[in-house]
């Protein structure tokens, strides 16, 4: 890029765009192409590490004093020798600053890769969030922070010694060997189970989820953790064989999936109910009246059809909900602007 300035802005702009893509979105894009597990995670981490490394390397070389480069040319040094003997050694502090930045941020992004079954410390974090277990969150967050600091210290120590390495390919060889040693057990860790199952973090950890299901049915599965949204995409693209979903999810019909029968009656009925704070009901008693109008109106069949309109027909959620309450003969008011009176929180599933 320093030799062809016309492409420099284009390359930096491209990797800058990649950096702005949300992590979960990028992982979702890769799922149909690379599947789940370590491979898409490695590719995503590689892409996210590009910007600081490329920008700092380009800046470090480009900012070398032009008089030094001219002196090297005057001594008869060819361009390649100037690069390796003059520019790169002088640019090492700036280049390593980019590498150290990339290393620290990559450790943080790596925890998100647990959403596509790549494992790692992210599993503890997401399970802890799902179960509101602070200790479990810290069990993943503290080692991740320590790992980031360790890599930063290690690269800082390497920076002090890198000028002694005269052959760049030696560094490249060392990096490749390190990556192979680190990734070999992840990539080739295969299970003997006949079926691969994709479950949410909550389902993997809850006693009434997979742990109890495994004992109740004497199952031998290869379970992996997936984001709830990516879970359906994983089974649609045949990356997993079984998932934990909602029986009223519209994607079951849209993706032509089959709901397995719980013939041993392990799962109790799970019904979504509104939970409201007492002081909120006291301040807004009309809220209780409004919610009562929906009592008994949402059957499984109705919810499945409403979800199908959203998940498969891509109708806006707001329009689907409005048409449903209108069919019930319930009047709705026009949206009001300004500060909301009531804040509603829910899981990011269509049912809620």
């Amino acid at each position: 890029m320093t030799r062809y300035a016309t492409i420099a802005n284009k390359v930096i702009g491209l990797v800058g765009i990649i950096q702005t893509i949300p992590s979960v979105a990028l992982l979702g894009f890769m799922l149909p192409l690379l599947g789940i597990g370590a491979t898409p995670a490695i590719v995503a981490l590689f892409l996210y590490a590009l910007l600081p490394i490329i920008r700092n390397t380009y800046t470090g070389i480009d900012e070398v004093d032009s008089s030094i480069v001219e002196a090297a040319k005057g001594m008869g040094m060819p361009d390649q020798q100037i690069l390796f003997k003059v520019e790169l050694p002088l640019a090492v502090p700036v280049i390593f600053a980019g590498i150290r930045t990339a290393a620290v941020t990559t450790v943080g992004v790596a925890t998100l890769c647990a959403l596509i079954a790549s494992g790692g410390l992210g599993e503890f974090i997401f399970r802890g969030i799902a179960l509101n277990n602070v200790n479990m969150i810290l069990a993943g967050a503290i080692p991740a922070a320590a790992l980031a600091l360790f890599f930063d210290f290690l690269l800082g120590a390497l920076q002090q010694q890198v000028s002694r390495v005269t052959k760049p390919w030696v560094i490249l060889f060392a990096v490749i060997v390190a990556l192979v040693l680190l990734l070999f057990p992840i990539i080739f860790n295969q299970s003997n189970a006949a079926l691969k199952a994709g479950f949410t973090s909550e389902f993997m950890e809850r006693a009434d989820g997979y742990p109890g299901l495994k004992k109740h049915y004497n199952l031998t599965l290869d379970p992996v953790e997936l984001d709830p949204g990516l879970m359906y995409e994983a089974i649609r693209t045949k990356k997993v064989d079984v998932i934990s979903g909602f029986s009223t999810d519209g994607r079951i019909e849209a993706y032509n999936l089959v709901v397995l029968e719980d013939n041993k009656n392990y799962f109790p009925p799970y019904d979504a109910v509104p939970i409201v704070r007492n002081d909120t009901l006291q301040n807004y008693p009309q809220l209780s009246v409004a919610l009562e109008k929906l009592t008994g109106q949402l059957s499984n069949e109705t919810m499945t059809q409403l979800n199908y309109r959203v998940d498969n027909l891509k109708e806006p959620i707001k329009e689907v909900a409005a048409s449903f309450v209108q069919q019930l003969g319930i009047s709705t008011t026009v949206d009001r602007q300004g500060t909301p009176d009531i804040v509603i929180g829910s899981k990011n599933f269509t049912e809620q």
Side-chain angles (χ1 to χ4, degrees):
M1 287 164 55
T2 56
R3 269 55 179 172
Y4 303 95
T6 55
I7 68 168
N9 290 334
K10 296 178 182 178
V11 173
I12 293 177
L14 178 62
V15 294
I17 292 173
I18 295 174
Q19 191 79 13
T20 60
I21 300 175
S23 305
V24 177
L26 183 62
L27 296 173
F29 293 150
M30 291 186 178
L31 196 146
L33 301 175
L34 301 175
I36 58 177
T39 301
I42 293 170
V43 173
L45 295 177
F46 166 76
L47 292 175
Y48 276 121
L50 284 177
L51 181 61
I53 295 176
I54 290 179
R55 185 188 291 275
N56 280 45
T57 302
Y58 172 76
T59 302
I61 297 174
D62 191 56
E63 293 296 323
V64 172
D65 195 330
S66 58
S67 61
I68 297 176
V69 178
E70 289 298 324
K73 291 180 179 178
M75 294 173 61
M77 296 176 67
D79 186 68
Q80 186 175 6
Q81 197 172 16
I82 293 174
L83 176 64
F84 288 109
K85 296 294 185 180
V86 178
E87 293 177 318
L88 280 177
L90 292 174
V92 160
V94 180
I95 294 174
F96 260 81
I99 295 175
R100 292 171 71 173
T101 300
V104 172
T105 56
T106 297
V107 171
V109 176
T111 58
L112 295 176
C113 294
L115 296 174
I116 55 168
S118 66
L121 296 170
E123 289 188 352
F124 295 99
I125 296 174
F126 287 112
R127 290 187 189 185
I129 292 173
L131 301 176
N132 196 25
N133 187 329
V134 177
N135 292 332
M136 189 173 291
I137 295 174
L138 294 176
I142 293 176
L147 189 62
L149 293 174
F150 170 74
F151 276 124
D152 187 60
F153 169 78
L154 193 64
L155 289 169
L158 178 61
Q159 180 179 342
Q160 303 300 322
Q161 306 295 327
V162 72
S163 58
R164 299 182 183 181
V165 182
T166 57
K167 299 292 185 181
W169 59 266
V170 174
I171 299 178
L172 179 62
F173 177 76
V175 171
I176 293 175
V177 171
L179 287 174
V180 170
L181 292 176
L182 287 171
L183 301 177
F184 184 87
I186 299 176
I187 297 175
F188 294 97
N189 181 23
Q190 301 293 334
S191 171
N192 294 324
L195 296 176
K196 181 180 286 291
F199 299 143
T200 63
S201 300
E202 184 178 9
F203 190 81
M204 285 285 289
E205 192 66 24
R206 283 177 50 146
D208 60 341
Y210 177 64
L213 181 67
K214 181 179 179 180
K215 295 179 181 178
H216 200 77
Y217 278 94
N218 192 25
L219 291 174
T220 303
L221 300 174
D222 179 16
V224 295
E225 291 190 22
L226 289 170
D227 174 80
L230 300 180
M231 187 172 58
Y232 285 93
E233 184 64 21
I235 195 170
R236 186 186 71 83
T237 55
K238 300 181 180 179
K239 306 302 181 184
V240 296
D241 304 299
V242 183
I243 65 171
S244 57
F246 290 105
S247 59
T248 56
D249 198 295
R251 284 167 288 193
I252 294 175
E253 182 179 350
Y255 296 166
N256 195 28
L257 304 177
V258 176
V259 179
L260 298 177
E261 181 185 356
D262 182 19
N263 59 318
K264 291 187 178 182
N265 300 315
Y266 169 71
F267 292 109
Y270 290 102
D271 297 319
V273 295
I275 300 175
V276 188
R277 292 167 51 191
N278 286 329
D279 56 347
T280 302
L281 282 178
Q282 292 174 2
N283 294 330
Y284 302 96
Q286 64 270 34
L287 182 61
S288 177
V289 177
L291 292 174
E292 282 294 333
K293 294 181 178 181
L294 295 175
T295 301
Q297 302 292 347
L298 278 171
S299 64
N300 285 346
E301 293 75 16
T302 301
M303 180 62 78
T304 301
Q305 288 301 316
L306 295 175
N307 288 334
Y308 179 82
R309 290 172 59 184
V310 173
D311 294 326
N312 192 57
L313 302 182
K314 306 303 179 184
E315 295 183 30
I317 294 178
K318 192 172 182 179
E319 293 182 7
V320 173
S323 65
F324 170 69
V325 295
Q326 287 173 4
Q327 290 174 7
L328 298 179
I330 301 174
S331 61
T332 58
T333 58
V334 180
D335 285 345
R336 216 177 56 186
Q337 303 298 321
T339 305
D341 299 312
I342 299 171
V343 178
I344 302 175
S346 73
K347 292 184 179 180
N348 59 337
F349 307 149
T350 317
E351 282 75 8
Q352 282 79 15

